[in-house]
Each structure stands twice: as C-alpha cells, then as structure tokens.
Amino acid sequence: MSFQPPVMAKKIPATVVTGFLGSGKTTLIRHLIEGAGDRKIALIVNEFGDMGFDGELLASCGNPNCTEDDVVELKNGCICCTVADEFLPTMEMLLKREPRPDHIVIETSGLALPQPLVQAFQWPSVRASVTVDGVITIADAAALSEGHYSADEAAIARQRQMDETIDHDSPIDELFTDQLKCADMIVISKADLVDDEAMVRVETLIAEHMREGVKIIHSANGNVSAAVLLGLEAGAEDNLDGREAAHGHHHHHDDDDDHDHDDDHDDGHHDHHHDHDDFHSAVVRPRTFASVEALKGAVADVLAQPGVLRVKGYASVEGKKARVIVQAVGRRVESWFDTGADVKTGLVVIGLKDFDLASANEKLA
C-alpha cells in the first residue's frame, strides 16, 4: 500500500517579482509589506541591502536556528530571507516556520530568468504546499520612453559582472524581452513621469513582447493595491457569506496614496494617471461546474475581459465533496482541491474600477 503524506489544507501562493535595477521593485515591495495588514508575507530577496528596510520595520527573528543572515523578521509579522545558496532550502525553511506565511514574494534581479525559478516550484516538497500565484514584471516608463531599459544601465552592467551565476552573454534587450514573456501581469512604474504620448510608445514596445492577454497596470511610487498584485486583502473575501454578494456586491478599493516618493526623482510632474489607483473587487456566487476543466475555462474567459486583473476563491464541482480553490491572474489559472471541511463558495473578481461585473457574473454564476 502506498503511503500518502497528509496534504496541507492551504497551498501558499507565491509571487515572483522581476524587473531591472532601478525599475521600482523595491518601492513596490516595501509598499506591499507595509500595507500587508495582518497577512504574513515572506519575502525572498537576493540582497537585504537593496530592500532599504529601515529600523522601524525590523524586529529580530526570535528563532534560535536562524542567523541574522538568513531571516529578517519585520514587526508586522512579515519576514524576509535571502537566497543564500539555493532557492529550494530557502523555500523548505519557510514552509517549516510556524505560523506559515500567507504569501511568499520572491524578488529577482531581472538578470536571471524567472523560468528556472518557476520550475523549482515543481519540486515535490514545495509543490505540495506552494502554488505559483504569478510572475509580475516591472518596467520603468521613464527609462523606456527615452529608449533605455533602466535609468542606470551602467549599474546593471556592474551588477551582471559581479553575479557569477548568470549567463553574461545575453544582451540586455533579450533579458528585458524574457522578463516580459514570462509575465502574468506587467506593472509600468513611474507612470507619473511620462506624458500620454510617451506612455503610448512604452505600451507599444511592451505589447510587442508580452504574451497575449496579459494585463498591464500603471503605478506611481509603487502604490498598487495588494489585492491586485497578490490577491491579498481583496476586501470582498470577507463577504463570502454575505447575501448582497449574490448580486455581485462591489467592494471599493481606493489605495491610500501616501506618496512615499522614490528619492531619485523630483515631484513636479504630471498627475493625470491617478485614477488607476482605483480598483474594485466583487464576489460572484459560482454555479456548480461540471468539471474542473469547465471551471478553469469559465475563469479564463472572465480573465480575458478588459479590466479584469485576477479571480480567486472557491467553487464546487459536480460529484466532488471538496471544493476547488482557484487562483488566477493574466493567463494563468491554478486550481487544486481544498482539504478543509468548509463548503462556502465564492469567487472574488478583482479589476479596474470599470470592469464589466455583469458579464463576469454571467460566465461564472
């Protein structure tokens, strides 16, 4: 008789964030961690120095087995750890922690392809407990509009020379193309620094390389809602039993715009991209689907709608007691059976404020 290890009830979603030096990854991730609420985010980075966490946020780890070099615990319960030698031991260490993280964010330098990293998620010890939530690529609007990939390409060249683990032969434009090709969502950072005409050029350039159907969002100062980036704090999740949700109840998300501007640019710029801070999430009561494939197909159809950024939640499938957990972004729809006893279902649809909720309801309900 083959031994079946117990399945962890909830897989931890992991998000890979990639982009070149100076694209605004750090600001975006700091914003996420600071706004994590009571969610425990584990952040895996190559170098702590780059993250620029100030003493206010740091607390000591408290775990005798972890040295200062491995894990930094933040006061809001989030933790950071560096990929010392290998990605796998780092992941395995995180999975042993109590309480386990709610979400794992992995920051990559943009020099190494996220592809091998995503393959590492197939390792049995990781695959049972973690799911790839998505790859988010950050592209610098200000640099791209001027024909560069980064505000400081010389710094990227120095960074490449120092890193022995990467392929030094591929030109920077190939690396950029690869980052876009593997993205499930693209964040155009420093959107407040370019005018409309330049933004059209930037979006055209990006559209040439990204996969069809991947969504692009604009960001200034890293202020993209955690609901959009990670599917966290979607607000509407709390409403899975709410009666009003049956009609696709809207939960309004207006990001607090706390202007922690990057130090490297002045602030006297256009402010006309600000309505993008406005995201909505809504709960749809899903019907019982004939199969997991039918469910995934319906979710993929909703994701293809303009303005819809992600879908996540629980649905039921005919003949199965366990409900199916769905986590979807861009073109990626991940699903697995829930081992918990809960039977509530509800799919949270997250998108720009004007997405067509009636149409999403029609496809899922």
Side-chain angles (χ1 to χ4, degrees), residues 20 23 140 143-144 147-151 153 156 172-174 176 205:
F20 287 132
S23 62
D140 180 335
L144 287 170
H148 301 289
Y149 294 105
S150 155
E153 289 184 354
I156 293 179
I172 189 168
D173 57 335
E174 268 179 38
F176 179 71
L205 173 73

Side-chain angles (χ1 to χ4, degrees), residues 39 226-227 231-238 251 253 280-282 312 348 350:
R39 306 297 179 106
L232 285 182
E233 307 288 336
E237 283 173 66
D238 310 332
H251 183 91
H253 250 295
H280 271 316
S281 53
K312 55 171 297 202
V348 182
I350 304 165

Side-chain angles (χ1 to χ4, degrees), residues 72-131:
V72 173
E73 189 125 352
L74 305 180
K75 287 194 172 136
N76 61 357
C78 297
I79 53 174
C80 279
C81 52
T82 51
V83 184
D85 302 313
E86 287 293 326
F87 175 65
L88 272 172
T90 306
M91 287 296 277
E92 287 170 343
M93 173 202 70
L94 278 179
L95 293 173
K96 286 194 189 89
R97 285 181 69 97
E98 287 294 331
R100 295 168 90 208
D102 294 313
H103 205 106
I104 298 171
V105 175
I106 299 147
E107 186 218 16
T108 76
S109 65
L111 300 180
L113 292 190
Q115 233 35 54
L117 188 64
V118 172
Q119 281 154 7
F121 284 101
Q122 295 305 316
W123 191 253
S125 60
V126 172
R127 191 172 66 197
S129 311
V130 180
T131 179

Side-chain angles (χ1 to χ4, degrees), residues 15 28 32 133 136 185 187 217 222 224-231 310:
T15 301
L28 185 99
L32 262 185
D133 178 65
I136 295 174
M185 184 185 287
V187 175
I217 52 180
V224 181
S225 137
V228 171
L229 288 179
L230 309 182
R310 352 173 118 249

Side-chain angles (χ1 to χ4, degrees), residues 118 132-135 182 184 303 327-334:
V118 172
V132 181
D133 178 65
V135 177
C182 66
D184 296 304
L303 276 179
Q327 194 89 7
V329 59
R331 300 294 301 278
R332 179 191 295 276
V333 182
E334 304 278 343

Side-chain angles (χ1 to χ4, degrees), residues 186-240:
I186 294 167
V187 175
I188 299 184
S189 65
K190 306 182 192 174
D192 53 332
L193 301 189
V194 299
D195 60 24
D196 289 349
E197 197 182 317
M199 184 55 86
V200 170
R201 288 202 306 276
V202 169
E203 291 196 332
T204 306
L205 173 73
I206 288 173
E208 280 171 26
H209 301 298
M210 69 183 206
R211 286 174 308 157
E212 192 194 340
V214 167
K215 299 297 160 78
I216 295 179
I217 52 180
H218 295 178
S219 133
N221 323 309
N223 56 357
V224 181
S225 137
V228 171
L229 288 179
L230 309 182
L232 285 182
E233 307 288 336
E237 283 173 66
D238 310 332
N239 199 11
L240 286 184

